[in-house]
Amino acid sequence: MFEVTFDVLLLLLAAGFAAGFIDAVAGGGGLITVPVLLISGANPVTALATNKIQGLFGSATAAITYARGGHVDFRTQRKSAIIAFFASLGGALLVSFLPVELIRYALPVLLIGIALFFAFKKGLDDVDRARRLSPTLFAATMVPLCAAYDGLLGPGAGSFYMLSFVGLAGYGILKATAHTKLLNFASNAGALAAFAVVATPWWLTGLAMGLAQVAGARVGAGLAQKQGAKVIKPLLVLTTITLAAKLIWDMI
């Protein structure tokens, strides 16, 4: 029935739960699920495609949980979500034509920069600040850029969304996290739509992992809403540095 054995499926379910928790708080859950999928026998493209299936569940659960907590309004963010969907779809379809390897070399430097920003920037808390871009300009520029990257490669997309919301939209940490999860859901959906055509995801395994993601995301989003920036900031810095270190290690 499933594309893997029962023992391997249990490992993937545990990875899905842990990734759902991490993703709901700070992003970076793919650090857990993609390597486990590769270890389980998936080729790289299948691993990325399957990761989008299960990630869709986690980001949707986190987005709904944050919305119920009053931290994001689906109606006002609908256009941004649509933009993210199509930008991510386009990014996934362009993976064969763009210099992905060049992007991989630059990515660790960008991620380390983001980690340093959140670690040392004073005054970053759950209070909104003055925005530097209007909502319309933000939706027309930063949303498609982050979403296209999510479809093209994926790792670190949540960090880029977070940096954009905090640095340019003026959102507090908790509000930025909530809006990041909504756009993560939209860009996951767009990338999956492309992968469904050009790749062979493990559909049943991905759906099973998605259920574990739901549980992990509910716990993570609940904790983040209670603790706010106190838990989100350090976990964001940790996961971003870890992702940068893994990317550097893979290039050695």
Side-chain angles (χ1 to χ4, degrees), residues 21-28 158-159 162 177 181 232 235-237 239-240:
F21 177 88
I22 294 293
D23 256 338
V25 179
S159 299
M162 279 289 292
T177 301
K181 293 306 109 186
I232 296 172
L235 194 54
L236 176 64
V237 171
T239 55
T240 304

Side-chain angles (χ1 to χ4, degrees), residues 168-230:
L168 298 176
Y171 288 5
I173 296 291
L174 179 57
K175 185 177 178 181
T177 301
H179 284 73
T180 291
K181 293 306 109 186
L182 174 60
L183 297 189
N184 261 152
F185 168 74
S187 55
N188 276 339
L192 180 58
F195 281 131
V197 176
V198 302
T200 54
W202 287 351
W203 289 102
L204 292 177
T205 299
L207 290 172
M209 292 177 69
L211 295 178
Q213 272 259 1
V214 169
R218 286 178 64 87
V219 175
L223 176 65
Q225 288 183 95
K226 290 179 181 178
Q227 299 296 325
K230 290 187 295 184

